[in-house]
């Protein structure tokens, strides 16, 4: 895991959970968060191919995940 980010009801809870999700890894972290309304998770992990990444997420609305252009 390169990065684990939680969006939750409080900053303290999100901070503690993001550390736990980092340790759990993507499969178990996604399972944990899918069962808890009010939590959203985004994890960035190394891809199987060199130099790539995989992004895993749950709990976000589709419009929350759109990339913005410009800058």
């Amino acid at each position: 895991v390169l990065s684990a980010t939680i969006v939750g009801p409080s900053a303290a809870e999100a901070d503690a959970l993001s550390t736990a999700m980092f340790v759990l890894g993507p499969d178990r972290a996604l399972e944990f968060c899918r069962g808890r309304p009010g939590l959203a998770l985004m994890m960035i992990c190394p891809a199987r191919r060199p130099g790539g990444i995989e992004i895993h997420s749950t709990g976000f609305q589709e419009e929350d995940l759109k990339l913005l252009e410009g800058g």
Side-chain angles (χ1 to χ4, degrees):
V1 176
L2 300 172
S3 173
T5 301
I6 288 277
V7 177
S10 73
E13 184 177 354
D15 181 44
L17 285 172
S18 66
T19 301
M21 299 305 105
F22 192 93
V23 172
L24 284 176
D27 294 334
R28 292 174 55 202
L30 288 166
E31 181 182 337
F32 177 89
C33 289
R34 285 184 180 131
R36 288 162 178 81
L39 289 183
L41 166 70
M42 180 169 296
M43 296 184 88
I44 301 173
C45 301
R48 290 184 176 96
R49 64 179 176 86
I53 61 168
E54 294 178 357
I55 299 173
H56 307 275
S57 67
T58 188
F60 290 99
Q61 300 297 320
E62 185 176 336
E63 60 271 10
D64 295 335
L65 299 175
K66 290 184 180 176
L67 297 176
L68 302 176
E69 292 185 31

Short mmCIF file of all heavy atoms in Angstrom, two decimals:
data_model
loop_
_atom_site.label_atom_id
_atom_site.label_comp_id
_atom_site.label_asym_id
_atom_site.label_seq_id
_atom_site.Cartn_x
_atom_site.Cartn_y
_atom_site.Cartn_z
N VAL A 1 0.86 -1.18 0.00
CA VAL A 1 0.00 0.00 0.00
C VAL A 1 0.90 1.24 0.00
O VAL A 1 1.82 1.35 0.81
CB VAL A 1 -0.93 0.00 1.23
CG1 VAL A 1 -1.75 1.28 1.29
CG2 VAL A 1 -1.84 -1.21 1.22
N LEU A 2 0.62 2.15 -0.92
CA LEU A 2 1.36 3.41 -0.96
C LEU A 2 0.65 4.50 -0.18
O LEU A 2 1.28 5.37 0.40
CB LEU A 2 1.54 3.85 -2.41
CG LEU A 2 2.30 2.88 -3.32
CD1 LEU A 2 2.25 3.36 -4.76
CD2 LEU A 2 3.73 2.72 -2.85
N SER A 3 -0.70 4.45 -0.17
CA SER A 3 -1.48 5.47 0.51
C SER A 3 -2.84 4.89 0.87
O SER A 3 -3.43 4.14 0.09
CB SER A 3 -1.66 6.68 -0.41
OG SER A 3 -2.54 7.62 0.16
N ALA A 4 -3.34 5.25 2.04
CA ALA A 4 -4.69 4.87 2.47
C ALA A 4 -5.36 6.11 3.05
O ALA A 4 -4.84 6.70 4.00
CB ALA A 4 -4.65 3.75 3.50
N THR A 5 -6.48 6.51 2.47
CA THR A 5 -7.19 7.70 2.91
C THR A 5 -8.62 7.32 3.27
O THR A 5 -9.30 6.64 2.50
CB THR A 5 -7.21 8.77 1.81
OG1 THR A 5 -5.86 9.11 1.47
CG2 THR A 5 -7.95 10.01 2.25
N ILE A 6 -9.07 7.78 4.43
CA ILE A 6 -10.44 7.56 4.88
C ILE A 6 -11.13 8.92 4.98
O ILE A 6 -10.55 9.87 5.49
CB ILE A 6 -10.48 6.88 6.26
CG1 ILE A 6 -10.05 5.43 6.18
CG2 ILE A 6 -11.85 7.00 6.92
CD1 ILE A 6 -11.12 4.46 5.77
N VAL A 7 -12.36 8.98 4.51
CA VAL A 7 -13.23 10.12 4.76
C VAL A 7 -14.31 9.60 5.69
O VAL A 7 -14.98 8.61 5.38
CB VAL A 7 -13.84 10.67 3.46
CG1 VAL A 7 -14.79 11.81 3.75
CG2 VAL A 7 -12.74 11.12 2.51
N GLY A 8 -14.44 10.23 6.86
CA GLY A 8 -15.38 9.75 7.86
C GLY A 8 -15.98 10.88 8.66
O GLY A 8 -15.78 12.05 8.35
N PRO A 9 -16.70 10.51 9.72
CA PRO A 9 -17.44 11.50 10.49
C PRO A 9 -16.57 12.48 11.28
O PRO A 9 -17.00 13.58 11.58
CB PRO A 9 -18.30 10.67 11.43
CG PRO A 9 -17.76 9.29 11.40
CD PRO A 9 -16.96 9.16 10.14
N SER A 10 -15.34 12.09 11.60
CA SER A 10 -14.46 13.02 12.33
C SER A 10 -13.03 12.82 11.87
O SER A 10 -12.65 11.74 11.41
CB SER A 10 -14.55 12.79 13.84
OG SER A 10 -13.88 11.59 14.21
N ALA A 11 -12.24 13.85 12.02
CA ALA A 11 -10.84 13.78 11.61
C ALA A 11 -10.07 12.75 12.44
O ALA A 11 -9.26 12.00 11.90
CB ALA A 11 -10.19 15.16 11.73
N ALA A 12 -10.35 12.68 13.73
CA ALA A 12 -9.64 11.73 14.59
C ALA A 12 -9.95 10.29 14.18
O ALA A 12 -9.05 9.45 14.10
CB ALA A 12 -10.01 11.97 16.05
N GLU A 13 -11.23 10.01 13.91
CA GLU A 13 -11.61 8.67 13.49
C GLU A 13 -11.01 8.33 12.13
O GLU A 13 -10.49 7.23 11.92
CB GLU A 13 -13.14 8.55 13.43
CG GLU A 13 -13.63 7.16 13.09
CD GLU A 13 -15.14 7.05 13.11
OE1 GLU A 13 -15.84 8.02 13.50
OE2 GLU A 13 -15.64 5.97 12.75
N ALA A 14 -11.05 9.27 11.20
CA ALA A 14 -10.49 9.04 9.87
C ALA A 14 -8.99 8.79 9.95
O ALA A 14 -8.46 7.92 9.26
CB ALA A 14 -10.79 10.22 8.95
N ASP A 15 -8.30 9.52 10.80
CA ASP A 15 -6.86 9.34 10.96
C ASP A 15 -6.54 7.95 11.50
O ASP A 15 -5.68 7.25 10.96
CB ASP A 15 -6.31 10.42 11.90
CG ASP A 15 -4.80 10.30 12.08
OD1 ASP A 15 -4.09 10.10 11.08
OD2 ASP A 15 -4.34 10.41 13.23
N ALA A 16 -7.24 7.54 12.53
CA ALA A 16 -7.00 6.21 13.12
C ALA A 16 -7.35 5.10 12.12
O ALA A 16 -6.59 4.14 11.97
CB ALA A 16 -7.82 6.05 14.39
N LEU A 17 -8.46 5.25 11.43
CA LEU A 17 -8.87 4.21 10.48
C LEU A 17 -7.95 4.14 9.27
O LEU A 17 -7.70 3.05 8.74
CB LEU A 17 -10.32 4.44 10.04
CG LEU A 17 -11.37 4.07 11.07
CD1 LEU A 17 -12.76 4.53 10.60
CD2 LEU A 17 -11.37 2.57 11.33
N SER A 18 -7.44 5.27 8.81
CA SER A 18 -6.55 5.23 7.64
C SER A 18 -5.28 4.43 7.96
O SER A 18 -4.79 3.67 7.13
CB SER A 18 -6.21 6.63 7.14
OG SER A 18 -5.44 7.34 8.07
N THR A 19 -4.79 4.57 9.19
CA THR A 19 -3.62 3.78 9.60
C THR A 19 -3.97 2.30 9.63
O THR A 19 -3.21 1.46 9.13
CB THR A 19 -3.12 4.24 10.98
OG1 THR A 19 -2.78 5.64 10.89
CG2 THR A 19 -1.91 3.44 11.43
N ALA A 20 -5.13 1.96 10.18
CA ALA A 20 -5.56 0.56 10.23
C ALA A 20 -5.75 -0.01 8.83
O ALA A 20 -5.36 -1.15 8.56
CB ALA A 20 -6.84 0.45 11.04
N MET A 21 -6.32 0.76 7.91
CA MET A 21 -6.56 0.28 6.55
C MET A 21 -5.23 0.05 5.83
O MET A 21 -5.09 -0.90 5.05
CB MET A 21 -7.42 1.27 5.76
CG MET A 21 -8.81 1.50 6.34
SD MET A 21 -9.80 0.02 6.60
CE MET A 21 -9.71 -0.16 8.37
N PHE A 22 -4.26 0.90 6.09
CA PHE A 22 -2.93 0.75 5.51
C PHE A 22 -2.35 -0.61 5.88
O PHE A 22 -1.79 -1.33 5.06
CB PHE A 22 -2.03 1.89 6.00
CG PHE A 22 -0.73 2.01 5.28
CD1 PHE A 22 -0.60 2.86 4.20
CD2 PHE A 22 0.38 1.29 5.69
CE1 PHE A 22 0.61 2.99 3.53
CE2 PHE A 22 1.60 1.40 5.03
CZ PHE A 22 1.70 2.26 3.95
N VAL A 23 -2.52 -0.98 7.15
CA VAL A 23 -1.99 -2.25 7.65
C VAL A 23 -2.79 -3.44 7.12
O VAL A 23 -2.22 -4.48 6.78
CB VAL A 23 -1.97 -2.24 9.20
CG1 VAL A 23 -1.61 -3.60 9.74
CG2 VAL A 23 -1.01 -1.18 9.71
N LEU A 24 -4.11 -3.30 7.02
CA LEU A 24 -4.96 -4.40 6.56
C LEU A 24 -4.70 -4.79 5.10
O LEU A 24 -4.85 -5.94 4.73
CB LEU A 24 -6.44 -4.04 6.71
CG LEU A 24 -7.03 -4.09 8.10
CD1 LEU A 24 -8.48 -3.61 8.06
CD2 LEU A 24 -6.94 -5.48 8.69
N GLY A 25 -4.38 -3.81 4.27
CA GLY A 25 -4.23 -4.07 2.84
C GLY A 25 -5.56 -3.90 2.13
O GLY A 25 -6.61 -3.80 2.76
N PRO A 26 -5.54 -3.84 0.80
CA PRO A 26 -6.73 -3.46 0.04
C PRO A 26 -7.93 -4.39 0.20
O PRO A 26 -9.05 -3.91 0.37
CB PRO A 26 -6.26 -3.39 -1.41
CG PRO A 26 -4.95 -4.08 -1.44
CD PRO A 26 -4.38 -4.02 -0.07
N ASP A 27 -7.75 -5.68 0.15
CA ASP A 27 -8.90 -6.58 0.20
C ASP A 27 -9.65 -6.48 1.52
O ASP A 27 -10.87 -6.28 1.54
CB ASP A 27 -8.47 -8.03 -0.05
CG ASP A 27 -7.93 -8.24 -1.46
OD1 ASP A 27 -8.32 -7.47 -2.37
OD2 ASP A 27 -7.12 -9.17 -1.65
N ARG A 28 -8.95 -6.58 2.61
CA ARG A 28 -9.60 -6.53 3.92
C ARG A 28 -10.09 -5.13 4.26
O ARG A 28 -11.13 -4.97 4.90
CB ARG A 28 -8.66 -7.07 4.99
CG ARG A 28 -8.43 -8.57 4.81
CD ARG A 28 -7.41 -9.18 5.73
NE ARG A 28 -7.70 -8.93 7.13
CZ ARG A 28 -6.78 -8.99 8.09
NH1 ARG A 28 -5.53 -9.30 7.79
NH2 ARG A 28 -7.09 -8.75 9.35
N ALA A 29 -9.38 -4.11 3.82
CA ALA A 29 -9.80 -2.73 4.07
C ALA A 29 -11.10 -2.41 3.33
O ALA A 29 -12.01 -1.81 3.90
CB ALA A 29 -8.70 -1.76 3.66
N LEU A 30 -11.18 -2.83 2.07
CA LEU A 30 -12.42 -2.60 1.31
C LEU A 30 -13.59 -3.32 1.95
O LEU A 30 -14.69 -2.77 2.08
CB LEU A 30 -12.23 -3.05 -0.14
CG LEU A 30 -11.33 -2.17 -1.00
CD1 LEU A 30 -10.95 -2.89 -2.28
CD2 LEU A 30 -12.00 -0.85 -1.30
N GLU A 31 -13.38 -4.54 2.38
CA GLU A 31 -14.44 -5.31 3.04
C GLU A 31 -14.90 -4.60 4.31
O GLU A 31 -16.09 -4.47 4.57
CB GLU A 31 -13.92 -6.70 3.37
CG GLU A 31 -14.92 -7.59 4.05
CD GLU A 31 -14.34 -8.95 4.41
OE1 GLU A 31 -13.35 -9.38 3.81
OE2 GLU A 31 -14.90 -9.58 5.33
N PHE A 32 -13.96 -4.12 5.11
CA PHE A 32 -14.28 -3.41 6.35
C PHE A 32 -15.14 -2.18 6.07
O PHE A 32 -16.17 -1.96 6.70
CB PHE A 32 -12.99 -3.01 7.07
CG PHE A 32 -13.21 -2.22 8.33
CD1 PHE A 32 -13.36 -2.86 9.54
CD2 PHE A 32 -13.25 -0.83 8.29
CE1 PHE A 32 -13.57 -2.14 10.71
CE2 PHE A 32 -13.46 -0.10 9.44
CZ PHE A 32 -13.62 -0.75 10.66
N CYS A 33 -14.72 -1.37 5.11
CA CYS A 33 -15.40 -0.10 4.84
C CYS A 33 -16.75 -0.28 4.15
O CYS A 33 -17.67 0.51 4.37
CB CYS A 33 -14.51 0.82 4.02
SG CYS A 33 -13.12 1.45 4.98
N ARG A 34 -16.88 -1.29 3.33
CA ARG A 34 -18.16 -1.52 2.64
C ARG A 34 -19.29 -1.81 3.62
O ARG A 34 -20.44 -1.54 3.33
CB ARG A 34 -18.02 -2.67 1.64
CG ARG A 34 -17.27 -2.26 0.40
CD ARG A 34 -17.21 -3.37 -0.63
NE ARG A 34 -16.48 -2.91 -1.79
CZ ARG A 34 -15.50 -3.58 -2.38
NH1 ARG A 34 -15.15 -4.77 -1.94
NH2 ARG A 34 -14.88 -3.07 -3.41
N GLY A 35 -18.97 -2.33 4.78
CA GLY A 35 -19.99 -2.63 5.78
C GLY A 35 -20.29 -1.48 6.72
O GLY A 35 -21.02 -1.66 7.69
N ARG A 36 -19.72 -0.31 6.46
CA ARG A 36 -19.90 0.82 7.36
C ARG A 36 -20.30 2.08 6.60
O ARG A 36 -19.45 2.79 6.06
CB ARG A 36 -18.61 1.06 8.14
CG ARG A 36 -18.41 -0.04 9.17
CD ARG A 36 -17.01 -0.12 9.68
NE ARG A 36 -16.90 -1.16 10.70
CZ ARG A 36 -16.78 -2.45 10.42
NH1 ARG A 36 -16.77 -2.88 9.18
NH2 ARG A 36 -16.70 -3.35 11.39
N PRO A 37 -21.61 2.35 6.56
CA PRO A 37 -22.07 3.59 5.92
C PRO A 37 -21.43 4.81 6.59
O PRO A 37 -21.17 4.81 7.79
CB PRO A 37 -23.58 3.58 6.15
CG PRO A 37 -23.93 2.17 6.47
CD PRO A 37 -22.70 1.58 7.12
N GLY A 38 -21.15 5.81 5.83
CA GLY A 38 -20.52 7.01 6.37
C GLY A 38 -19.01 7.02 6.26
O GLY A 38 -18.38 8.02 6.56
N LEU A 39 -18.43 5.89 5.82
CA LEU A 39 -16.99 5.84 5.60
C LEU A 39 -16.71 5.72 4.11
O LEU A 39 -17.43 5.01 3.39
CB LEU A 39 -16.34 4.64 6.28
CG LEU A 39 -16.24 4.63 7.79
CD1 LEU A 39 -15.50 3.38 8.25
CD2 LEU A 39 -15.54 5.88 8.31
N ALA A 40 -15.70 6.40 3.65
CA ALA A 40 -15.23 6.24 2.28
C ALA A 40 -13.73 5.98 2.35
O ALA A 40 -13.03 6.52 3.21
CB ALA A 40 -15.51 7.50 1.47
N LEU A 41 -13.26 5.12 1.46
CA LEU A 41 -11.86 4.70 1.46
C LEU A 41 -11.28 4.83 0.06
O LEU A 41 -11.93 4.47 -0.92
CB LEU A 41 -11.76 3.23 1.90
CG LEU A 41 -10.42 2.52 1.65
CD1 LEU A 41 -9.34 3.06 2.57
CD2 LEU A 41 -10.58 1.02 1.84
N MET A 42 -10.07 5.35 -0.02
CA MET A 42 -9.31 5.33 -1.25
C MET A 42 -7.91 4.84 -0.92
O MET A 42 -7.26 5.37 -0.01
CB MET A 42 -9.23 6.69 -1.93
CG MET A 42 -8.43 6.63 -3.22
SD MET A 42 -8.55 8.12 -4.22
CE MET A 42 -10.27 8.11 -4.62
N MET A 43 -7.48 3.81 -1.65
CA MET A 43 -6.13 3.25 -1.45
C MET A 43 -5.39 3.27 -2.77
O MET A 43 -5.97 2.96 -3.81
CB MET A 43 -6.21 1.82 -0.94
CG MET A 43 -6.84 1.70 0.41
SD MET A 43 -6.80 0.00 1.01
CE MET A 43 -5.20 0.02 1.81
N ILE A 44 -4.13 3.62 -2.70
CA ILE A 44 -3.26 3.57 -3.87
C ILE A 44 -2.20 2.53 -3.58
O ILE A 44 -1.53 2.57 -2.55
CB ILE A 44 -2.64 4.95 -4.16
CG1 ILE A 44 -3.76 5.96 -4.40
CG2 ILE A 44 -1.68 4.86 -5.34
CD1 ILE A 44 -3.31 7.38 -4.52
N CYS A 45 -2.09 1.55 -4.49
CA CYS A 45 -1.19 0.43 -4.32
C CYS A 45 -0.33 0.26 -5.56
O CYS A 45 -0.75 0.64 -6.66
CB CYS A 45 -1.99 -0.86 -4.09
SG CYS A 45 -3.06 -0.80 -2.66
N PRO A 46 0.84 -0.32 -5.41
CA PRO A 46 1.65 -0.62 -6.60
C PRO A 46 0.91 -1.61 -7.49
O PRO A 46 0.24 -2.52 -6.99
CB PRO A 46 2.92 -1.27 -6.03
CG PRO A 46 2.91 -0.99 -4.57
CD PRO A 46 1.49 -0.76 -4.18
N ALA A 47 1.04 -1.43 -8.78
CA ALA A 47 0.44 -2.37 -9.74
C ALA A 47 1.36 -3.56 -9.94
O ALA A 47 2.53 -3.53 -9.56
CB ALA A 47 0.18 -1.68 -11.07
N ARG A 48 0.83 -4.59 -10.54
CA ARG A 48 1.64 -5.77 -10.82
C ARG A 48 2.73 -5.47 -11.85
O ARG A 48 3.78 -6.06 -11.84
CB ARG A 48 0.75 -6.90 -11.30
CG ARG A 48 -0.13 -7.43 -10.17
CD ARG A 48 -0.96 -8.62 -10.62
NE ARG A 48 -1.71 -9.14 -9.50
CZ ARG A 48 -2.96 -8.82 -9.24
NH1 ARG A 48 -3.61 -7.99 -10.01
NH2 ARG A 48 -3.58 -9.33 -8.19
N ARG A 49 2.43 -4.55 -12.76
CA ARG A 49 3.44 -4.18 -13.76
C ARG A 49 4.30 -3.06 -13.19
O ARG A 49 3.80 -2.18 -12.48
CB ARG A 49 2.80 -3.79 -15.08
CG ARG A 49 1.95 -2.55 -15.01
CD ARG A 49 1.37 -2.19 -16.38
NE ARG A 49 0.49 -1.06 -16.27
CZ ARG A 49 0.87 0.20 -16.31
NH1 ARG A 49 2.13 0.51 -16.48
NH2 ARG A 49 -0.01 1.17 -16.21
N PRO A 50 5.56 -3.05 -13.48
CA PRO A 50 6.47 -2.04 -12.92
C PRO A 50 6.05 -0.62 -13.29
O PRO A 50 5.68 -0.34 -14.43
CB PRO A 50 7.82 -2.39 -13.56
CG PRO A 50 7.71 -3.81 -13.97
CD PRO A 50 6.27 -4.04 -14.31
N GLY A 51 6.09 0.26 -12.32
CA GLY A 51 5.82 1.67 -12.55
C GLY A 51 4.35 2.05 -12.53
O GLY A 51 4.01 3.22 -12.62
N GLY A 52 3.46 1.09 -12.40
CA GLY A 52 2.03 1.38 -12.41
C GLY A 52 1.45 1.44 -11.01
O GLY A 52 2.10 1.08 -10.03
N ILE A 53 0.23 1.93 -10.91
CA ILE A 53 -0.49 1.95 -9.64
C ILE A 53 -1.89 1.38 -9.85
O ILE A 53 -2.40 1.34 -10.97
CB ILE A 53 -0.60 3.37 -9.04
CG1 ILE A 53 -1.37 4.30 -9.98
CG2 ILE A 53 0.75 3.93 -8.68
CD1 ILE A 53 -1.78 5.62 -9.33
N GLU A 54 -2.48 0.93 -8.76
CA GLU A 54 -3.88 0.51 -8.74
C GLU A 54 -4.58 1.38 -7.70
O GLU A 54 -4.04 1.62 -6.62
CB GLU A 54 -4.01 -0.95 -8.33
CG GLU A 54 -3.43 -1.92 -9.32
CD GLU A 54 -3.51 -3.37 -8.87
OE1 GLU A 54 -3.99 -3.63 -7.73
OE2 GLU A 54 -3.10 -4.23 -9.64
N ILE A 55 -5.77 1.85 -8.04
CA ILE A 55 -6.56 2.66 -7.12
C ILE A 55 -7.78 1.86 -6.73
O ILE A 55 -8.53 1.40 -7.59
CB ILE A 55 -6.95 4.01 -7.75
CG1 ILE A 55 -5.70 4.79 -8.11
CG2 ILE A 55 -7.85 4.79 -6.80
CD1 ILE A 55 -5.95 6.06 -8.89
N HIS A 56 -7.97 1.68 -5.43
CA HIS A 56 -9.12 0.96 -4.88
C HIS A 56 -9.93 1.96 -4.08
O HIS A 56 -9.37 2.72 -3.29
CB HIS A 56 -8.66 -0.17 -3.95
CG HIS A 56 -7.67 -1.11 -4.57
ND1 HIS A 56 -8.06 -2.18 -5.34
CD2 HIS A 56 -6.32 -1.13 -4.56
CE1 HIS A 56 -6.99 -2.83 -5.76
NE2 HIS A 56 -5.91 -2.21 -5.30
N SER A 57 -11.26 1.95 -4.26
CA SER A 57 -12.08 2.88 -3.48
C SER A 57 -13.46 2.29 -3.23
O SER A 57 -13.95 1.44 -3.97
CB SER A 57 -12.20 4.23 -4.20
OG SER A 57 -12.95 4.10 -5.39
N THR A 58 -14.07 2.78 -2.17
CA THR A 58 -15.45 2.45 -1.84
C THR A 58 -16.03 3.57 -1.00
O THR A 58 -15.29 4.29 -0.31
CB THR A 58 -15.56 1.10 -1.09
OG1 THR A 58 -16.94 0.75 -0.97
CG2 THR A 58 -14.92 1.14 0.28
N GLY A 59 -17.33 3.76 -1.08
CA GLY A 59 -18.01 4.75 -0.27
C GLY A 59 -18.10 6.13 -0.87
O GLY A 59 -18.73 7.02 -0.30
N PHE A 60 -17.50 6.34 -2.02
CA PHE A 60 -17.57 7.64 -2.70
C PHE A 60 -18.69 7.61 -3.74
O PHE A 60 -18.99 6.56 -4.30
CB PHE A 60 -16.25 7.96 -3.43
CG PHE A 60 -15.11 8.25 -2.51
CD1 PHE A 60 -14.17 7.27 -2.21
CD2 PHE A 60 -14.95 9.51 -1.95
CE1 PHE A 60 -13.10 7.53 -1.37
CE2 PHE A 60 -13.88 9.78 -1.10
CZ PHE A 60 -12.96 8.79 -0.81
N GLN A 61 -19.26 8.76 -4.00
CA GLN A 61 -20.20 8.90 -5.12
C GLN A 61 -19.37 9.08 -6.39
O GLN A 61 -18.24 9.56 -6.34
CB GLN A 61 -21.10 10.12 -4.91
CG GLN A 61 -21.94 10.05 -3.65
CD GLN A 61 -22.92 8.89 -3.69
OE1 GLN A 61 -23.54 8.59 -4.72
NE2 GLN A 61 -23.08 8.20 -2.57
N GLU A 62 -19.94 8.70 -7.52
CA GLU A 62 -19.19 8.78 -8.78
C GLU A 62 -18.65 10.19 -9.04
O GLU A 62 -17.50 10.36 -9.45
CB GLU A 62 -20.07 8.34 -9.95
CG GLU A 62 -19.34 8.28 -11.27
CD GLU A 62 -20.19 7.75 -12.40
OE1 GLU A 62 -21.16 7.04 -12.15
OE2 GLU A 62 -19.85 8.06 -13.55
N GLU A 63 -19.44 11.21 -8.75
CA GLU A 63 -19.01 12.59 -9.01
C GLU A 63 -17.87 13.02 -8.07
O GLU A 63 -17.12 13.93 -8.38
CB GLU A 63 -20.17 13.58 -8.93
CG GLU A 63 -20.87 13.62 -7.59
CD GLU A 63 -22.03 12.62 -7.46
OE1 GLU A 63 -22.19 11.76 -8.33
OE2 GLU A 63 -22.75 12.73 -6.46
N ASP A 64 -17.71 12.35 -6.95
CA ASP A 64 -16.60 12.65 -6.04
C ASP A 64 -15.26 12.24 -6.61
O ASP A 64 -14.22 12.74 -6.18
CB ASP A 64 -16.78 11.92 -4.70
CG ASP A 64 -17.98 12.38 -3.92
OD1 ASP A 64 -18.43 13.53 -4.12
OD2 ASP A 64 -18.49 11.58 -3.11
N LEU A 65 -15.25 11.30 -7.57
CA LEU A 65 -14.01 10.73 -8.06
C LEU A 65 -13.58 11.27 -9.42
O LEU A 65 -12.60 10.80 -9.97
CB LEU A 65 -14.15 9.20 -8.15
CG LEU A 65 -14.42 8.52 -6.80
CD1 LEU A 65 -14.66 7.04 -7.01
CD2 LEU A 65 -13.28 8.76 -5.83
N LYS A 66 -14.25 12.27 -9.93
CA LYS A 66 -13.87 12.83 -11.23
C LYS A 66 -12.62 13.68 -11.09
O LYS A 66 -12.49 14.47 -10.15
CB LYS A 66 -15.02 13.68 -11.80
CG LYS A 66 -16.19 12.84 -12.23
CD LYS A 66 -17.25 13.68 -12.87
CE LYS A 66 -18.41 12.80 -13.28
NZ LYS A 66 -19.50 13.58 -13.83
N LEU A 67 -11.70 13.51 -12.01
CA LEU A 67 -10.50 14.33 -12.04
C LEU A 67 -10.82 15.69 -12.63
O LEU A 67 -11.58 15.79 -13.60
CB LEU A 67 -9.42 13.64 -12.86
CG LEU A 67 -8.92 12.31 -12.32
CD1 LEU A 67 -7.91 11.70 -13.29
CD2 LEU A 67 -8.30 12.48 -10.95
N LEU A 68 -10.24 16.72 -12.08
CA LEU A 68 -10.46 18.07 -12.59
C LEU A 68 -9.32 18.45 -13.52
O LEU A 68 -8.17 18.14 -13.26
CB LEU A 68 -10.52 19.07 -11.42
CG LEU A 68 -11.62 18.79 -10.38
CD1 LEU A 68 -11.50 19.79 -9.25
CD2 LEU A 68 -12.99 18.88 -11.02
N GLU A 69 -9.68 19.14 -14.59
CA GLU A 69 -8.66 19.61 -15.53
C GLU A 69 -8.25 21.03 -15.19
O GLU A 69 -9.00 21.78 -14.59
CB GLU A 69 -9.22 19.57 -16.96
CG GLU A 69 -9.46 18.16 -17.46
CD GLU A 69 -9.90 18.16 -18.92
OE1 GLU A 69 -9.49 19.05 -19.67
OE2 GLU A 69 -10.66 17.26 -19.27
N GLY A 70 -7.07 21.39 -15.61
CA GLY A 70 -6.60 22.77 -15.43
C GLY A 70 -5.96 22.95 -14.07
O GLY A 70 -5.71 22.02 -13.33
N GLY A 71 -5.73 24.21 -13.77
CA GLY A 71 -5.12 24.30 -12.58
C GLY A 71 -4.74 25.21 -11.65
O GLY A 71 -4.21 25.30 -10.74
#
